[in-house]
Amino acid sequence: MLKRVYRFKEGNAEMKNLLGGKGANLAEMTALGLPIPPGFTVTTEACQAYYAAGGKMPEGLMQEIHHALRGLEAAKSAEFGGVSRPLLVSVRSGSVTSMPGMMDTILNLGLNDDTVKGLAEQTGNERFAYDCYRRFIQMFGDVVLGIHSIYFERLIEMCRKENGRSCDQEISASEWKELIAKYKSIVEDRTGQPFPQDVHVQLKLAVEAVFRSWNNMRAKVYRKAYGIPDEQGTAVNIQAMVFGNLGTGSGTGVLFTRNPSTGERELYGEYLADAQGEDVVAGVRTPKAVSELFSELPLVYEQLSAAAGLLEIHYRDMQDIEFTVENGSLYLLQTRSGKRTAQASIKIAVDLTKEGILSKEEAVSRIEPGHLDQLLHRSLAIPAELAPIAKGLPASPGAAVGLIALDADTAERWAKDGRKVVLVSTETSPDDIHGILAAEGVLTSRGGMTSHAAVVARGMGKPCVCGCEALSIDHEDRSVRIGELTLAEGEGISLDASGGRVFRGGLSLSDPEITPELLTLLDYADEIRKLRIYANADTPHDAQKAREFGAEGIGLCRTEHMFFSGSRLPIVQSMILAGGREERMFYLDRLLPMQQADFEEMFGAMDGLPVTIRLLDPPLHEFLPNPDQLREQCRKLEETGENGEEARKLKAMISKVNELREVNPMLGLRGVRLGILFPEIYEMQIEAIFKAAQSALRRGVDVRPEIMIPLVGHPDELKRMRALVDDIGGQALSEEFRGLIYRVGTMIEVPRAALLADTIAQHADFFSFGTNDLTQMTFGYSRDDAEGKFLNSYLDGNILKANPFQVLDQDGVGQLIQWAVTRGKAVKSFLKTGICGEHGGDRESISFCHRTGLEYVSCSPYRIPFARIAAAQAALLDKGEKAQSPAEKQVV
Amino acid sequence: MLKRVYRFKEGNAEMKNLLGGKGANLAEMTALGLPIPPGFTVTTEACQAYYAAGGKMPEGLMQEIHHALRGLEAAKSAEFGGVSRPLLVSVRSGSVTSMPGMMDTILNLGLNDDTVKGLAEQTGNERFAYDCYRRFIQMFGDVVLGIHSIYFERLIEMCRKENGRSCDQEISASEWKELIAKYKSIVEDRTGQPFPQDVHVQLKLAVEAVFRSWNNMRAKVYRKAYGIPDEQGTAVNIQAMVFGNLGTGSGTGVLFTRNPSTGERELYGEYLADAQGEDVVAGVRTPKAVSELFSELPLVYEQLSAAAGLLEIHYRDMQDIEFTVENGSLYLLQTRSGKRTAQASIKIAVDLTKEGILSKEEAVSRIEPGHLDQLLHRSLAIPAELAPIAKGLPASPGAAVGLIALDADTAERWAKDGRKVVLVSTETSPDDIHGILAAEGVLTSRGGMTSHAAVVARGMGKPCVCGCEALSIDHEDRSVRIGELTLAEGEGISLDASGGRVFRGGLSLSDPEITPELLTLLDYADEIRKLRIYANADTPHDAQKAREFGAEGIGLCRTEHMFFSGSRLPIVQSMILAGGREERMFYLDRLLPMQQADFEEMFGAMDGLPVTIRLLDPPLHEFLPNPDQLREQCRKLEETGENGEEARKLKAMISKVNELREVNPMLGLRGVRLGILFPEIYEMQIEAIFKAAQSALRRGVDVRPEIMIPLVGHPDELKRMRALVDDIGGQALSEEFRGLIYRVGTMIEVPRAALLADTIAQHADFFSFGTNDLTQMTFGYSRDDAEGKFLNSYLDGNILKANPFQVLDQDGVGQLIQWAVTRGKAVKSFLKTGICGEHGGDRESISFCHRTGLEYVSCSPYRIPFARIAAAQAALLDKGEKAQSPAEKQVV
C-alpha cells in the first residue's frame, strides 16, 4: 500500500511535490539534526485520494495518522487526549507552491474539557491553559466548522465589558472558563452538534478541513491566476506544540545570524523568558539581547550558536530564526533569509564569500543594485513625522541642504561667502551654469527629466528636483510660494532629490560611504561581467570621478556643455549671430583653443582609455537667451534711451532667435544636420580634438579618441562627416603622430539609422545607441511633454509597465537595437556597439544590452558602481544562474 | 572569314550587339521598306579586332568596305571620288549603348579639290558646294586629325571681317574658296601632311578615328560610370549623303504623325523647299505646313503619309520624323517618339488602343501620371516674358486669380459681393476657415507643407502657396510688400500654386478638362490595377467630388476638420476650456448632433462604399487662438476698461493655451493619447458615428463605417479604444441595426506601432499607414522645420534623392511598412492595409504600396485619377511590363 504519512525524519527538501513546501523544509531541518518539534506530514497524494473518492477520507489514512501520532507521544513523553501530560499538536496546510487563501493553522489541537485541566496542572498556569482552550475552540470553530470569528469575538467583547477588563490579558482563568461554556453553546447552536471532545475526531475533522481548503474559492482563483494545476492537492503537517511559557527555563526569541544593520558577524536578536511568541510581539515586557542567554542558559546559547552556523552554511545566507525554549530544551520553529540594510547586504555577501560559503558569482547575484544608490549618494535624515512641502521629478539623485537662492548670481555670491545654497528657479538656462556649479542642489518649478537643469545637474552629479509645479517664485518679493506657504530667499530648504521631495528647513545629511567590502564586491563583479562600463562625462573633473568609480572609458562627452560655460557663451552666441561663414569662422577660431584645452585635459584624465567625443548636437537657439527675456531687456533699454548699441545687438539677437525658433525642436536642425549645413563648426571641433590628441601624445599620454557624429539618419551623412574627420586629421597631425589610432562612429538615435544599420556600418567604427532620442522617436513621445502631460496616466492606467525613458522598451526600441546590432555586425564583425542614453544606468536595460551582445554601456559617473554590478548580474543571469534576491528565499 | 560589314538591308533591330544601336535601327527601317539613304555598318567585332591587333586596321577590312561602297555607288548612280556625280557619305560611330563622348559625325566625306567642282556643277550652287567642302575639312580636321576647331573658326572670323560679312550665309563662293586654301595650309602646318585628297584615304582615316574614339578619355569615364564593358567596341555607320537643296523638287522637313498638341490624327509638321535641315532651324525662311506638300509634291506626300502610318504601327507610338526630299525622292533620316502635351498623350494612347495598335495595358503604361496634374487643375496662361514677383511652397496645386484680401472677413465680404479674391495672410488659423472657403486661393508668408493653410487648402482642393517668405503684410497700411514692390489690398494677384509662383495682376485661367479619352483611359487603368483607390475627404462635398473622380471609399475622414468650422469652433473651445469632465460633457453633447449630421451626409455620399473615420487627432491647443493674438486682444479690452466678462474669458483662454503649450507638439498629447486621457471626447465621436449610421440605414443607405484610432504605439491603446467602440456601438444601435458591420482599425504612424504590428493586429481590422507622421518620426524630421531649414540643403547636396514627404522613403520608412504588413498579416490574414499619407498621391510610392501588397491607397480627391493610373502602372511594372515613358524611346 502507498505510504501516505511521512515523519519529519523520513523526508527532505527534495520531496516538495509529495510533502508540500513546508513539510519538506521541516523534514530538511530535522535531517540537519536541528531541534525541530517532532511531527509528520500527510502527503499531497492523500489529498488527491480524498478528492478521487468524492471528498471522503481514504480508507486506512486515519490509522496511519494514529500510528504516526504514537511516535509523537513517545518523543514528547505525552499522550494525545491524555489528562496528565496531554499531547497538543498544530495542524497546518502545506501545498507545493505557497498559496494564500488556504487554511493556515490550528494550534493547540488535542484540548478538551479534560486535557485542559492536565495542561493547567502541567504548566501551573490555569489562565494560560484556558486561554489556549478558548483559542482552540475559536480557531477550530472558524476554519473547521465554518463559524465566523465574529460570533466568538462578540462574546469576548461582552466578557471584557461585564468584568471591566480593558484587554484580553486581564481576563482571568474563571472568566475564560465562563466564556468557553458560551463558545461551546455557539458551536452546538450553529452546527447542531456539541464541540467534539474526542481528540481523534478533532484531528480527523482538521485534516479534512485542510483537504477541503484546497478547493475553496480564493484558492481556486489563485491557482487559475498563477497556473497551478488543480489536481496537485495539499499536504497536511501535524506537529507537536512546544511552549516557551512553562517557567524560568522556558522562553522565546528571534535570532539573526549576523547583525542586519551593519553586517558584522555576531549573534544578534532578542529573547523573552517565560513567554510565548505573541508576548514578544505584544511588547508587554522588554526583551533581552540574545547574548544574555550566554550567562542565563549557556547550553541553549551554545546550541543556538551552533544552529545559526549550521543554518547559514546550509542555506548559504544570513538567517532570521524563530526559536522557543521549553524547559531548557531549544526548539527552532522557523528560519528564513534575514532582511538587512544596503550596507549589511554588501558586507555579508563579501564575508560569506571570504568564508568560503558563497562563490563570487553568488555574492554578486545577491546584491540588489538599487541598494548602491543609497550608498553612493548623500541622503537626508528625515524625521518620521516630517512631510515634504512639495514634490517634483527626481531629476538627479542625492540630497542637498542649503539656503534658498533665487538666481544664479546670488547663489554664486553666497557660495563664495561660504554659505551652502540651493538654487531655486522657474527653469534654468545656459546663463545659470555658474549658479548651478555654486549650489548644493537645484530645484525648478518647470521642465522635465531632460530639461536644462536636469541634464546639467545629472552631468555634474548634483542633486536636482525638477518640474515641481506647486512652486511659484515671486522675484519682486524675493520669495517662493508653495500653496499657502511662503519661504523667503535665504531660508533653509532640503532636497531629497532621489525621491523628488522638498522639505522645509535644513535637515542633516549623511555622507555616502564606499566601504572596503563594496570595493571587493565590485572586483568580483568585474571578474564576471562581459560588458564594459563607460561614463558619460563632459568635463575633466567628471572624467576623473568616473575613473575613480571604475569607468573603462568615456562613452559620451557632450561638447556642447563645454560651449555653455560662462566665459565661452558670449563667443558661442557671437558665432551663431554671425552674418556669414567668414564671420562665423572668426569666432570659431577663438573657440578652438578652448575646446582643445578641454579635450587635452580629458585625454589626460583617461590616459590609456577611449574617450568618445560627440560633436555639437543641440539646436543653435539653445545657446541664445529666451526671447521673452530679451524683449523685456530691450524694452527697458529703449525706455531709458541709453545704450543704443546694446539695444541694436539685442534686437539682432531677438531676430536670430525668432529665425532659429522651431515648431518641434526635437525633430529640427540639430546634430549632424548642423554639421552638414555649417561644416565649419564641426571642422573646428575636429581640429581641436586632433590638436589636443597631439599635445597629449607629446606629453606621453596614451590617447584614444573616438569621434561620434550625432543624429545620423542617412548613410551619406556619416560618410561625409567621416571624410571630414579623416581630412582634418591628416592636416592637423604632424608627421610623427600620423599613426594615431582614432575611431569614427555614430549615434544610432533616429529610427531610420537603426533600419539602415547595414549601410551606415560601412562608414562606422562604432555605434552608440542614443536611447533617449531613440525612445522619443520610436514612441513619438517628446519627453518634455509626455512626462508632464500623459505618461503618468499611461503608467497609472497600466498601459505602460514602466517609464520608457527610465527602463528601456525592449518590445519596441529594443527590436530596433537588436536589428541594428545584427545588421551592423553582419557588415563589420568588429563594429563596436554600446549605449549612452540614461538607460545605461538601469538594471533591466543593462541586462538587455548584455543579451543583445553590445560591448559597453555608458552612464553617469555616479552610476558606474551600480552598472558594474548590474552588468555582472546580467552575465550570471545569462548563464542560467538566476540572480535571486534574498527576500524571495523563505523557509518553513 | 568573319563578315565585318553589313549593308543596311542585311540587318535588323535585333542585331544591336553586332551593329550598334544606330546601325541596327537604320537596318530595321530599311527592312520596313522605308526610303532610307543607302548605307552599311562596320561591326563592333571589327572594332574589337582593331584593338586586338594593337590599334591596326584588321586585314581585309578596307576591302570589305570598298566592296560595300560599290553597292552605294550603284544605288545612288554615283561614284565615290568621281567628278561628275561624286558620291558623298556620312561616317558615324554607333555603340551598342548610346554613349556621349565618342566621335559623332563626319558629313560630306568624299569631297576633294576635284569632286567639289562636280558637286557645284551637279547642284548648280557653287557657294553651297564650297561651303560643304570647308565644313568637311573642318570636321575632318577636328575629329580625325585632332586639330582644334578654334583654328578654323578664327579664320572664318577674319574672313568675315575682311569681306565685311555679318554672317556666314553672306560669304560668297569665292571667299569660301580662299578660306579652303587657308584651311588646307593649317592642316599641313599642324600634321606635316597635306589634307588627304584621296577619298579612300579619307574614309580609312575616318573609320580608324571612330574606332579610336571608343577609347578616348570621356568615353572611358562614361563606361566606367555606367558599367559598360570596355571590350564591347563600337560599330561605324557609313551612309550616302542626300541633299534637300538641289532645286524645287528638293526640300527638308519635320513631320509628326499626329497633332502633338491636341492628339488629333492628322499629319502635322513643317516643310521648307530647296533647303537643308539646318536652314529650317536657322529660320531664314518661313516653312510651310506639311499638308501643302499634298498639292506641291503629291507623290512625296503620299509616300510620307504611308511612311507615317507604317512607323506608327511599327514603333507603336506617335512619331516625330525628319525627312529630306532630294529631286523628288523622299528620304527618312530619323524617327523617334514625338513629344506631346498632356492632353495629346492621353488622346493618342486611347486612339492607338482603339485602332488596335496598343493593348490597354500599353496605353496605360504610356501615360506620365504627372501629366494628369496639368489636366485636372486650372492653370495660368503666363506670358513668356512675365517673371513671378515671389516664390513659395506649392502647397496645394492649381491656379487662382483674384483681388488681394488681407483677412478672412474681407475675403468673405468681397466674395459675397461677387468678386474673386485671393486670401493673403501671414499664416491662417481655424478662425480663418470662412475666408479660405470664400477665396479662390490662399497665399501665406509663413508655414510649410503641413501648415494649417496648406492642409485645409489641399483638403478643399483650393490652390495654395505657403511660406512665401519674401512677402510681408502691413495691416496698418492694408498692403503687401515684396522687396521694393508694394501691392495694396484689392489689387489683382495670380497664383500658379502648382509651381509655387506668385504673379502680379490678374492673368487668365484655363479650365481643367476631363476629356472622354481620359475617362476611357481611366477605365483601362481600373481593369488593370490591384490597389483600390480611396480618398482623403473631410466633408460631404469632398466625398461627392471623390466619388466623381472614381474613389472606391474614404480612406481618411479627419473629424477635427469638422471641429474647425465657424459655428462649431466656439463650442469646441468651450469644451477644451471646461473645468472638468462634466462641463466638458455638456459641450460634447452639443457637438454630437453636429458630428452626427456630418457623418450621415458622408455615409449618404458614399453609399455602398467604406468610410474610414479617424477620431480626433491634433493637440487641443490647435483649436485655440494664437496666444500673442489673445494677449493683444486682452490688452486692448483692458485699456478700454469695458467688457470685464470678455476679458476674464480671454485670460482663461490664455492660461489654457499656455497650459496646453508643448515643446514638441508633434510628439505630444494628441491622437489616441487624447482618447485615453479624455475618453468622453472619443465616446461622443463614436456615438455620433453609430447614430449617423443608424439614421442612414433607416433611409436605405448601405453604410460601411470604419473607425480609425490615430497614433497608436502600444497594443493596449487600441485594445481599450476598440472595447470603447464595441461598447458604445452596442448601446447606440437599436436592436434591428445591431447587425451593422463595421471595422475598427488604427493608423500605423509611430515607428513603435510598425515594430509591434503583430500584437496590434490582434485588435485591428485594418492598418492605415500614416506615412506623413511615420516619415517624420522615422527620420526625426519635423516637416514644418525641415522644409524651411535643412531639407533643401540635403536635396541640393544630394544626400536625399527626393523629399521624403513627397516620395516615400522606401529604404527606411518602407522597411517599417513592409515589416508591419508582413507581421500583421501573419497574425490576421484578412487584415486590410493601406496608406493615407500624402504619399498616396505619389507615383513611386503607389508602386511601392502595390509591391508591398497593400489593399488600398488613399489620396486627395483631385489626385484620384492620377492614383488610378499610377496603380495600374504599378501592376504592369510588377508583371514585368516595364512602363516606359515615351520620351525614353528614341530611334536612330
Side-chain angles (χ1 to χ4, degrees), chain A residues 537-606:
Chain A
D538 306 334
T539 64
H541 170 264
D542 287 353
Q544 195 50 54
K545 201 84 205 154
R547 196 158 196 172
E548 282 165 26
F549 281 128
E552 297 164 287
I554 302 290
L556 176 61
C557 168
R558 284 161 290 216
T559 53
E560 59 271 22
H561 290 172
M562 299 172 171
F563 278 29
F564 280 134
S565 84
S567 61
R568 300 172 187 187
L569 193 58
I571 309 176
V572 173
Q573 291 177 339
S574 300
M575 183 272 287
I576 294 169
L577 294 171
R581 187 177 152 92
E582 209 156 319
E583 196 184 341
R584 200 155 41 241
M585 300 271 279
F586 172 77
Y587 292 106
L588 286 169
D589 281 347
R590 293 184 57 196
L591 287 170
L592 191 140
M594 302 178 186
Q595 285 246 306
Q596 184 181 333
D598 291 329
F599 293 141
E600 200 179 330
E601 264 197 89
M602 294 287 283
F603 289 142
M606 301 305 286

Side-chain angles (χ1 to χ4, degrees), chain B residues 617 670-673 709-713 717 747 749-750 773 777:
Chain B
D617 183 45
R670 46 182 286 248
V672 69
R673 299 164 195 170
I709 312 296
L711 217 74
V712 162
E717 289 172 328
M747 305 273 286
E749 51 188 340
V750 169
D773 272 7
M777 294 180 202

Side-chain angles (χ1 to χ4, degrees), chain B residues 199-411:
Chain B
V199 294
H200 293 286
V201 170
Q202 289 175 0
L203 186 58
K204 177 165 181 273
L205 289 175
V207 170
E208 278 186 304
V210 173
F211 286 165
R212 278 200 313 272
S213 75
W214 173 253
N215 258 355
N216 72 27
M217 190 66 74
R218 274 167 61 205
K220 275 185 179 171
V221 168
Y222 187 87
R223 282 204 297 277
K224 188 156 195 179
Y226 289 85
I228 300 169
D230 279 339
E231 53 284 358
Q232 207 173 51
T234 180
V236 187
N237 297 295
I238 296 161
Q239 190 177 19
M241 294 290 300
V242 289
F243 298 99
N245 50 352
L246 292 182
T248 47
S250 300
T252 188
V254 172
L255 173 78
F256 288 87
T257 57
R258 303 192 183 223
N259 186 316
S261 69
T262 65
E264 286 298 325
R265 187 171 187 182
E266 58 182 6
L267 292 192
Y268 180 95
E270 293 175 334
Y271 172 79
L272 201 54
D274 193 14
Q276 275 203 316
E278 52 193 10
D279 296 334
V280 180
V281 179
V284 185
R285 286 181 286 152
T286 305
K288 307 172 186 171
V290 159
S291 56
E292 292 191 31
L293 275 178
F294 180 72
S295 47
E296 289 183 11
L297 292 165
L299 208 67
V300 166
Y301 184 83
E302 199 174 309
Q303 269 184 302
L304 252 186
S305 174
L310 190 65
L311 283 170
E312 265 200 0
I313 291 169
H314 191 72
Y315 289 108
R316 315 174 76 229
D317 197 6
M318 182 267 263
Q319 296 294 300
D320 165 0
I321 299 165
E322 287 179 23
F323 66 93
T324 286
V325 182
E326 187 187 69
N327 289 328
S329 299
L330 174 70
Y331 293 100
L332 304 187
L333 299 178
Q334 176 164 281
T335 186
R336 57 186 166 192
S337 289
K339 295 209 184 300
R340 63 206 79 179
T341 63
Q343 190 192 331
S345 84
I346 288 163
K347 181 162 172 51
I348 290 170
V350 170
D351 286 351
L352 286 175
T353 308
K354 289 185 174 160
E355 291 161 23
I357 295 172
L358 292 185
S359 66
K360 290 175 182 176
E361 286 76 10
E362 286 169 313
V364 168
S365 67
R366 287 283 172 82
I367 301 305
E368 172 58 58
H371 277 167
L372 297 187
D373 266 355
Q374 290 179 29
L375 294 182
L376 295 170
H377 291 289
R378 300 207 293 177
S379 56
L380 285 186
I382 306 166
E385 73 289 356
L386 193 68
I389 52 172
K391 288 189 146 203
L393 298 168
S396 176
V401 172
L403 310 178
I404 295 172
L406 293 181
D407 60 63
D409 294 337
T410 307

